[in-house]
Amino acid sequence: MFPRKIYDLSLPGKAKLRLGERTLVMGILNITPDSFADGGRHADPVMAAAAACEMDEGGADIIDIGGESTRPGAEALTSAEELARVLPVIRRVVGRVRAPLSIDTYKAEVARVALAEGVSIVNDISGLRYDPLLAQIVAAAGVPIVLMHTRGRPREMYREAVYRDVENEVASELTESICAAVAAGIARDRLIVDPGIGFAKRPEHSYAALAALPAWAALDRPILIGPSRKSFLQSALGDRTPEQREWGTAAAVAAAVLYGAHIVRVHNVPDMVDVVRVADRIRDATSNE
């Protein structure tokens, strides 16, 4: 198997996440009426909070709360609209779950308020490209941030899906995000990178990004992979609804673990925890030979 460096990720207070000894599972909690993957199932705050507790009980290491759909073609929300969706859930969940919470946003104001309410991590799909103030908020709070690779906005991202060399172009653009974060005062040891499976990438690019995962160890940052239920899986599986892509998701998650991912981001936490546990055992057995 490919080697995986171990990182200690400091969270607010004295908490730490140990990345690399085993693969961590980030559960996806979409507080959106137009989510591609779950049809708005968690748009009600009470139901969303219950789902977060179920993820926690099911083995989630992190719970990622998002209030704006970023599927291809999605329209942007204002900060006020996004906060109206996520705040009632955050307030119901903080203190009730073991897993630290992440806010899936690219907006500085949403991140600022969520962090003040007890969220511990920011997950930015834009890699600090959409809102120039976000880096300042994260730097001031001293929290970790996930820097994802994409190009363009969700409504136009497929226009940008043109690559000659996925591995090197994504690595170069993630390096730009890392440099922007450090220049803004975010400690390098607070950074996680995500190659952005399905974002500004056609299916062949997403598969290439998964296959290139070992090369991105050279960035010297923990790697997050989010293949869950995404449309790129249909090029292998055929026409399936998002919920019918669980076996394909399981294959992508297993590959990500074996190729060196530190965190996998998934919808179906209990089943993917099982996949990760088995894949981690294979990694361990290979490294001990």
Side-chain angles (χ1 to χ4, degrees), residues 123-141:
N123 183 12
D124 174 23
I125 66 158
S126 82
L128 296 177
R129 286 179 166 83
Y130 292 174
D131 186 340
L133 297 178
L134 179 59
Q136 298 175 30
I137 296 296
V138 173

Side-chain angles (χ1 to χ4, degrees), residues 76-144:
L77 297 179
T78 66
S79 294
E81 290 170 326
E82 190 173 341
L83 284 167
R85 292 178 178 180
V86 300
L87 270 183
V89 179
I90 291 170
R91 288 169 175 165
R92 282 175 168 83
V93 173
V94 167
R96 292 181 60 192
V97 298
R98 167 197 54 84
L101 302 182
S102 168
I103 182 68
D104 180 5
T105 189
Y106 56 83
K107 299 184 183 75
E109 179 62 11
V110 175
R112 183 189 68 78
V113 175
L115 292 170
E117 293 286 344
V119 168
S120 302
I121 302 168
V122 174
N123 183 12
D124 174 23
I125 66 158
S126 82
L128 296 177
R129 286 179 166 83
Y130 292 174
D131 186 340
L133 297 178
L134 179 59
Q136 298 175 30
I137 296 296
V138 173
V143 297

Side-chain angles (χ1 to χ4, degrees), residues 2-114:
F2 295 94
R4 182 168 63 185
K5 186 174 178 179
I6 294 174
Y7 300 90
D8 284 320
L9 192 71
S10 296
L11 301 176
K14 297 182 179 180
K16 283 189 178 181
L17 286 177
R18 185 81 161 165
L19 305 182
E21 286 185 344
R22 63 180 180 86
T23 309
L24 303 190
V25 174
M26 174 186 274
I28 302 169
L29 188 61
N30 290 320
I31 317 301
T32 56
D34 54 348
S35 168
F36 88 94
D38 55 29
R41 182 179 302 162
H42 303 136
D44 175 79
V46 174
M47 293 182 66
C53 292
E54 289 176 6
M55 288 182 188
D56 193 53
E57 293 169 2
D61 297 289
I62 305 166
I63 298 172
D64 193 36
I65 299 175
E68 178 179 316
S69 175
T70 51
R71 73 191 190 286
E75 293 295 327
L77 297 179
T78 66
S79 294
E81 290 170 326
E82 190 173 341
L83 284 167
R85 292 178 178 180
V86 300
L87 270 183
V89 179
I90 291 170
R91 288 169 175 165
R92 282 175 168 83
V93 173
V94 167
R96 292 181 60 192
V97 298
R98 167 197 54 84
L101 302 182
S102 168
I103 182 68
D104 180 5
T105 189
Y106 56 83
K107 299 184 183 75
E109 179 62 11
V110 175
R112 183 189 68 78
V113 175

Side-chain angles (χ1 to χ4, degrees), residues 51-286:
C53 292
E54 289 176 6
M55 288 182 188
D56 193 53
E57 293 169 2
D61 297 289
I62 305 166
I63 298 172
D64 193 36
I65 299 175
E68 178 179 316
S69 175
T70 51
R71 73 191 190 286
E75 293 295 327
L77 297 179
T78 66
S79 294
E81 290 170 326
E82 190 173 341
L83 284 167
R85 292 178 178 180
V86 300
L87 270 183
V89 179
I90 291 170
R91 288 169 175 165
R92 282 175 168 83
V93 173
V94 167
R96 292 181 60 192
V97 298
R98 167 197 54 84
L101 302 182
S102 168
I103 182 68
D104 180 5
T105 189
Y106 56 83
K107 299 184 183 75
E109 179 62 11
V110 175
R112 183 189 68 78
V113 175
L115 292 170
E117 293 286 344
V119 168
S120 302
I121 302 168
V122 174
N123 183 12
D124 174 23
I125 66 158
S126 82
L128 296 177
R129 286 179 166 83
Y130 292 174
D131 186 340
L133 297 178
L134 179 59
Q136 298 175 30
I137 296 296
V138 173
V143 297
I145 182 170
V146 179
L147 302 172
M148 196 192 80
H149 176 269
T150 192
R151 292 174 174 175
R153 296 279 182 159
R155 62 180 175 272
E156 62 195 17
M157 68 171 65
Y158 281 150
R159 298 179 195 169
E160 306 289 335
V162 179
Y163 300 86
R164 291 184 178 179
D165 183 334
V166 170
E167 177 182 319
N168 287 321
E169 289 177 56
V170 171
S172 175
E173 291 163 33
L174 282 174
T175 298
E176 291 173 4
S177 291
I178 291 171
C179 291
V182 172
I186 302 173
R188 201 173 192 281
D189 64 7
R190 299 291 194 275
L191 305 179
I192 301 165
V193 296
D194 176 353
I197 302 299
F199 281 80
K201 295 172 187 69
R202 300 193 183 280
E204 63 270 24
H205 304 140
S206 289
Y207 286 109
L210 272 171
L213 198 157
W216 292 323
L219 296 173
D220 193 24
R221 297 315 314 139
I223 300 169
L224 183 152
I225 295 290
S228 187
R229 299 181 180 177
K230 289 182 176 175
S231 61
F232 83 99
L233 296 167
Q234 293 189 102
S235 70
L237 302 176
D239 189 17
R240 306 276 182 92
T241 66
E243 289 188 340
Q244 291 173 332
R245 300 172 195 160
E246 282 300 302
W247 285 105
T249 295
V253 164
V257 173
L258 298 177
Y259 279 1
H262 294 79
I263 306 170
V264 291
R265 183 175 180 272
V266 301
H267 294 88
N268 182 346
V269 168
D271 287 352
M272 294 306 131
V273 164
D274 286 353
V275 172
V276 165
R277 285 174 176 167
V278 173
D280 270 341
R281 286 294 184 95
I282 296 170
R283 279 191 61 89
D284 293 344
T286 304

